Structure formats: C-alpha cells, structure tokens
Amino acid sequence: MGATIVEKIFSHKCGTEIRAGEVVMAPLDGAMIHDITGPIAIQKFYEMGGTKVFDPKRIIMLFDHQIPADSIEAASNHVYMRKFAAEQGIHNYDINEGVCHQVTIEKGRAAPGEIIVGADSHTCMYGAAGAFATGIGSTDMGFALRFGALYFKVPETIRAEVSGKFQKRVGAKDLILTIAADIGADGATYKAIEFTGKTVRKLDMAGRMTLCNMAIEMGGKAGIVAPDKVTWEYMKGRRKMKSFALASDEDAKFAEKRFYDASGLEPQVAIPHNVDTGVPVSKVVGTHIDQVFIGSCTNGRFEDLAEAADVLGKKKFNPNIRVIIIQASRDEYLKTLKAGLIEKFVKAGALVEAPCCGPCMGGAFGLLAPGEVSLSTSNRNFKGRQGSTEGKVYLCSPATAAASAITGVITDPREV
Amino acid sequence: MAAKKSVPAKKVVVNLPQAAQNMRVWKFGDDIDTDAIIPGRFLTINNPDELAKHAFEGTRDEFAKKVKEGDAIVGGRNFGCGSSREHAPLALLGAGVRVVVARSFARIFFRNSINVGLLPVICLQADKIADGSKISLNIKKGSLESDGKQFKIEPVPEFMQGIIDAGGLVEYAKGLKEVPVCTKSRQ
C-alpha cells in the first residue's frame, strides 16, 4: 500500500517507514516563536535545564501580535525575547517583518518535505510550501528549542479534492469556509488535511496559504498542498534547494476523501460565533456592520489586497464603516505600496496599518465595543475574538469585505 | 510595577492528580475556545495567578470571582479549540483547577494541559454532569463519579502517560541530556 504525503515526510526524515498512528520523536527543521507565546516557551526552555538552543539557525523569532508595543507588559516581553535572541545567536526579525506565518514562508524558512513547529495554531499554513507544520503550545516549544525534536503522533490524512473553476469574485477563502462548514470545527482533530485537485493546482501560493492556514479551524494538525511547479517557483530565491517529487500515492490509506466543486460556489460568510458556520453570502446580505478588517495571515497578501482594490474600483468606502487594512508582511506592504493600492485605499477612507496581526489578535487595537459587528478576512469569529464578547465577527473573503465596506452592509461582491 | 508582573512568570507547581474527590463542577458547553478561557488582551501576562483573574472574562464573569482551589471544569465537545495559547491552561491552573473533563478536546489544548500539569479527562458522557455538582475521579479505575453515577473515562495515550507520571513536560525533560530521535513509541 502507498503512503500519504505526511507519512512520506516523516518516513524520509527518519529513514524508516512511518505510518499514521505511530508515535515518533521526530527531528525538527524549524521552530517559530512570536511575542505572545515566546516568553513562556523561553521560560520553559530554562526550567527544563536548557542553556543552548538546539540550533539557532533553525529558530524563527519575530514579534507580530503586539507591535509596536501597545503596553509596558508587551514591551517587556519583547525585551525578554530580544535578550534571549542575543544570548543564543538567533536571528530576530523583531517588529520589522510582519505576521509570523507569512514571514516564515516568504523568507524561505519553510520548504517542501520539512517538519516545522510553531507556537501558534496557524502554523499549519506552512503546508502551502509543502512542509508538515503544526501549532504547539509553549511548553512543547521549550522542549523543541532545547532538543530540536518533538513527539508526534503521525496523523491520518483527510483528502479534500477540489475541481471546477471559481466564478469571478469567488476564491480560496470562500472554498475553505465551505470546507470548514462541511468538515466541522472538530472534524479533522488529530488529522492532516491535504488539499488537492485541479482547482488547487491552479491556485497561486497566496490562495494555498489561505487554505492551509485554516486547517486548524477544523481541528486539523496540519494542512498541506503537495509541492508542484507553483511551489518550486515560489521557493526560488528564497531557499537554495533542488526540487524533488513529494506527493501522496494514489493507493495511500486516507482517513476519508471529500470532493468539492468550486464552479458553483458562491461567496461564503461564516456567521458568529464559530468558523464552521459558513453560508452563501446571499443568506446574510444586508447585515449591519461597524468595522471591516482586511488583513491577517489568512488574507493579508498582495493578491488579497489587489482583489479588494479591484472591487473598490473608483468608489469610496462607506464613511459610517471603519475600514482597517493591514498587509501580512513588509514584502506584501511594499508590493501593495508600489502598485499604488495604499494610496487608493487611503483616499477611499481606509486606515492602512503597518504589517501585524491587527484586530485578529483581540488585544492590540481595532477592538469591538459591546453590540458592534466586524466583518473580517481573518480566521476566527469566536465570541470576544476581536474585543467585547457582546460583539460579533463575520468572516469572509477580501472581495466580500471590500464590497461590504463600500455599501456599509454585508454585500455580495459580484453585485458591486 | 506593571512590567514586573508579566516577566518572568512564577513557576507553576505541577501536580497531576491520579485521584481527586468532590470537585465542584463549572459546566460549559461545546466548542469552548481558548479566547473564551483567556481573552487575547490578557496575553501579555505570563503569571498563572494573574491570568486566573481574567479566566472566562466576558464569557462567565463569576468564574474568576468564585472559583475555588480544587474545582473542576466540565465541557462538551472540542474543549479548548482555537489559539495555541498556553495561557489558557495556565489561567485554569492559577484559578486552582487541576482537572478538566470533556467529551472531546482540541489537540493543542489537550497536549498543553498535560505538559503544564492540568489533567484533561475524556468522558463521553460529560454532558450528563450538572453545573455545580460534585465529581470524583479515579484514574486507575478509569471512572468518574457524579451524583452517585459512575461514568467511564478514556485512557490517556501511553506516550503521554510518561509525561503525566513525571509531573508534566518540564519535569520529564529535566533529566534528559538528549532525546532518542526517530525512535517510535507505543501509542
């Protein structure tokens, strides 16, 4: 019997056949820490008797949740981590580069066939680069920093095969909201989700990142897209490595296979307060909103902002809506800037911030008051995620967010 | 002073219970996410006692005020979903909670809890346990008693039992000079 891509990654790393369900102490190619989960991870590293990290070159450190420091506590956490970076010889991207997951991929710190952990649940996004990547807590990260390895129960894989061409203004975010609604908030717990099929093959890296980012919203341990021309083209200039074949065998044992048709897909909106509540936008058209957030690791790339700008055209944003736009990274910021989109957004009435997690962090800024409603391109709409637990968050694509920011209510982007 | 409370945190006392009697139940529903357990705006805090003051803030405000040492949390499906923030189990530990019972757990929360010394217990009949009732746990027997009724609890995966036996991952790791990379364990 063949193997899944995940089984192959673990087997290759260890030089022995490893199958789903087996527990293995696997070596790590990378470990990512940021300003929220990093301080505790470092404390645990020391408590475990750690003095030197396993390999400073494999540790990815940056600050993105509370930047520039929004409180004395945040500033102190940053100082604590900077000191650790200096002591250990770790390169710290500090507050300069953007959201951890975007930065990790675009700096070539995640590559096909690698095993990477991050002290953040959306670490599963690196599957877009063909890596097995999963989110862990701070104590596991302390262990990872010290030993460069971690226990994994190798997951079974759910294969999500997508065919059909997206309609105009419909894309990866609408697809993943549909898949999340289908699989459910815990339907992929302890499993990996492999995204495959002609539609996925045609997606650019930005779209693949959107898909893999949200595997955790189904409880998934990892999301992954088998590397292909698109992946290897993206790796060029980011990582020196030769391309190789890595894909699930057709006769591999999958936990299940699910099939999706993108061609009939409408823009989707996940309604409060769970991510697996996606409905066609037509069901919620006209819903009142107070704030629109276009950004995050899920949808803060140039392609997302270009789509939003295209929907915007020569219109203005509704003056009654607070429109917050945040690029996922410095690179994406520069692309957006050079394309003239930032000027366009600002002139249309948006607030464009420097790359960071923004309102999705639910603490730094852009919070909701009781009774307020946010429409957001981020990944979570839990109660209180963006401020008051009496506020509401709807999730959607950049196109739907832009269209709604123009009209002032939730709007079908195909009709703007 | 404000800066001092966040860094460094005090050391968590790890004490995973094998048996615990008469724990008062704080009952929650399905899909309790870690944002609900500890909202994002408190994540600059790394100290369990300080985090505990904000546990379930906005979701169940009386929790932080009335929770007592030795109380237990009982949830439904997918307890602890969402963010990987270890501040969530730490906030519960700081509040004096040592046991969380649920029909199922989100993966990261489950592992974080064991790592820091909060015992996650899977009980498929957790929905039958009432808020405010008392529960007693007997890990060795694999059972949980609530209002005179016995409920079966699921065994912890074997490789994680070693971490529980050590008293959490920090204690487990302390004695290790290196780890046996690529060795398989029984599940």
Side-chain angles (χ1 to χ4, degrees):
Chain A
M1 185 182 290
T4 66
I5 183 169
V6 170
E7 290 169 330
K8 285 186 181 184
I9 290 173
F10 278 90
S11 299
H12 181 73
K13 278 284 155 206
C14 283
T16 180
E17 192 174 292
I18 294 172
R19 290 303 171 113
E22 291 188 297
V23 176
V24 63
M25 178 71 81
L28 303 172
D29 295 293
M32 187 284 296
I33 51 175
H34 60 53
D35 50 340
I36 292 293
T37 56
I40 298 178
I42 294 167
Q43 286 164 14
K44 299 292 180 181
F45 165 81
Y46 287 129
E47 284 176 24
M48 287 174 191
T51 52
K52 285 278 167 201
V53 295
F54 75 104
D55 182 355
K57 289 193 175 64
R58 292 186 187 273
I59 294 163
I60 304 144
M61 183 195 287
L62 48 71
F63 310 149
D64 55 0
H65 281 64
Q66 289 173 299
I67 61 156
D70 58 13
S71 63
I72 294 167
E73 290 86 349
S76 303
N77 282 335
H78 294 174
V79 167
Y80 182 68
M81 289 184 70
R82 283 185 193 118
K83 192 172 154 242
F84 183 72
E87 170 194 304
Q88 298 288 333
I90 298 165
H91 176 73
N92 176 17
Y93 294 107
D94 212 282
I95 68 168
N96 302 312
E97 292 295 342
V99 184
C100 55
H101 309 306
Q102 178 64 27
V103 174
T104 298
I105 298 181
E106 76 185 20
K107 298 289 183 195
R109 307 288 297 266
E114 293 192 326
I115 299 176
I116 301 173
V117 293
D120 188 287
S121 62
H122 292 106
T123 299
C124 50
M125 189 169 105
Y126 317 160
F132 175 87
T134 194
I136 61 173
S138 293
T139 302
D140 268 339
M141 182 54 80
F143 189 96
L145 292 175
R146 182 167 174 206
F147 297 110
L150 202 61
Y151 272 121
F152 292 88
K153 185 172 180 184
V154 178
E156 293 184 291
T157 298
I158 296 175
R159 198 170 222 210
E161 189 171 329
V162 190
S163 60
K165 194 174 172 229
F166 289 116
Q167 297 174 44
K168 197 177 180 195
R169 304 288 183 229
V170 181
K173 183 61 167 292
D174 304 295
L175 175 61
I176 194 64
L177 289 176
T178 302
I179 294 174
D182 181 47
I183 292 180
D186 60 354
T189 303
Y190 286 102
K191 297 186 177 78
I193 305 173
E194 181 186 1
F195 301 100
T196 182
K198 282 184 183 164
T199 311
V200 175
R201 292 281 145 239
K202 283 190 178 163
L203 275 179
D204 54 19
M205 283 296 284
R208 295 175 182 197
M209 289 185 212
T210 302
L211 293 184
C212 292
N213 177 278
M214 291 188 70
I216 182 66
E217 307 312 331
M218 293 158 266
K221 192 165 187 170
I224 193 162
V225 175
D228 59 9
K229 276 185 189 167
V230 174
T231 325
W232 292 112
E233 192 58 38
Y234 183 87
M235 295 311 295
K236 277 184 193 165
R238 301 175 197 274
R239 183 71 170 263
K240 274 186 189 165
M241 64 193 296
K242 283 186 178 166
S243 66
F244 56 87
L246 177 64
S248 294
D249 295 323
E250 283 310 313
D251 62 344
K253 188 183 169 201
F254 292 98
E256 56 178 317
K257 290 183 184 177
R258 295 191 182 224
F259 298 89
Y260 300 92
D261 180 5
S263 61
L265 190 64
E266 272 191 56
Q268 299 287 308
V269 177
I271 60 176
H273 299 283
N274 282 310
V275 182
D276 61 353
T277 56
V279 294
V281 66
S282 52
K283 300 236 178 186
V284 287
V285 158
T287 302
H288 168 87
I289 51 176
D290 299 289
Q291 178 168 297
V292 170
F293 169 42
I294 304 177
S296 82
C297 50
T298 315
N299 279 122
R301 283 167 280 283
F302 172 73
E303 290 83 349
D304 300 312
L305 302 177
E307 174 82 353
D310 197 43
V311 171
L312 178 64
K314 290 183 176 164
K315 299 182 184 74
K316 298 268 184 216
F317 291 124
N318 187 304
N320 296 320
I321 306 293
R322 306 185 298 269
V323 182
I324 302 170
I325 299 179
I326 310 180
Q327 297 79 8
S329 71
R330 176 201 288 263
D331 280 6
E332 300 303 302
Y333 187 101
L334 284 170
K335 278 191 253 177
T336 315
L337 186 71
K338 283 177 188 159
L341 303 187
I342 291 186
E343 185 178 353
K344 190 173 178 176
F345 290 138
V346 172
K347 280 186 173 165
L351 207 62
V352 181
E353 297 284 344
C356 66
C357 299
C360 188
M361 195 269 145
F365 61 85
L367 303 185
L368 300 180
E372 284 200 312
V373 181
S374 164
L375 181 67
S376 176
T377 67
S378 55
N379 42 48
R380 288 197 175 123
N381 58 351
F382 301 154
K383 216 179 251 190
R385 176 73 180 185
Q386 292 184 14
S388 171
T389 47
E390 293 165 53
K392 288 180 179 171
V393 181
Y394 290 78
L395 302 177
C396 69
S397 71
T400 302
S404 308
I406 296 163
T407 61
V409 292
I410 293 181
T411 299
D412 189 330
R414 297 168 300 178
E415 291 169 9
V416 170
Chain B
M1 287 309 288
K4 276 191 178 172
K5 77 180 178 191
S6 63
V7 188
K10 76 165 190 185
K11 199 183 158 206
V12 177
V13 179
V14 176
N15 181 23
L16 286 160
Q18 288 295 303
Q21 302 297 313
N22 291 320
M23 297 178 285
R24 185 176 63 149
V25 169
W26 292 83
K27 182 76 182 287
F28 292 85
D30 292 341
D31 298 319
I32 296 299
D33 57 79
T34 53
D35 276 87
I37 299 170
I38 185 76
R41 62 189 178 279
F42 302 117
L43 299 184
T44 48
I45 305 170
N46 301 322
N47 178 322
D49 291 342
E50 289 295 322
L51 286 166
K53 292 176 185 167
H54 305 288
F56 293 109
E57 190 165 315
T59 297
R60 194 164 175 187
D61 286 337
E62 81 270 22
F63 178 82
K65 291 177 198 138
K66 295 183 180 167
V67 66
K68 290 203 171 68
E69 186 78 27
D71 286 358
I73 305 270
V74 177
R77 264 175 76 160
N78 203 25
F79 191 92
C81 61
S83 162
S84 65
R85 59 189 69 169
E86 207 159 282
H87 309 67
L90 289 179
L92 300 182
L93 274 181
V97 172
R98 293 288 177 272
V99 175
V100 181
V101 179
R103 276 174 63 198
S104 65
F105 288 91
R107 176 185 61 86
I108 304 175
F109 181 88
F110 185 80
R111 188 148 157 164
N112 284 350
S113 295
I114 287 177
N115 285 346
V116 302
L118 178 71
L119 188 68
V121 175
I122 299 170
C123 173
L124 300 177
Q125 293 167 300
D127 288 353
K128 292 181 180 163
I129 300 168
D131 188 47
S133 67
K134 297 280 177 73
I135 56 170
S136 296
L137 189 66
N138 191 324
I139 300 282
K140 278 185 184 159
K141 276 190 179 169
S143 71
L144 184 157
E145 189 191 312
S146 167
D147 288 334
K149 287 178 212 144
Q150 297 285 331
F151 298 116
K152 183 173 171 279
I153 60 174
E154 304 299 314
V156 173
E158 201 171 308
F159 85 103
M160 300 203 85
Q161 189 63 46
I163 296 169
I164 292 176
D165 293 344
L169 187 61
V170 168
E171 297 301 317
Y172 179 88
K174 264 184 187 170
L176 300 175
K177 285 222 166 64
E178 55 187 29
V179 294
V181 173
C182 286
T183 51
K184 297 180 190 180
S185 298
R186 284 169 294 173
Q187 26 181 89

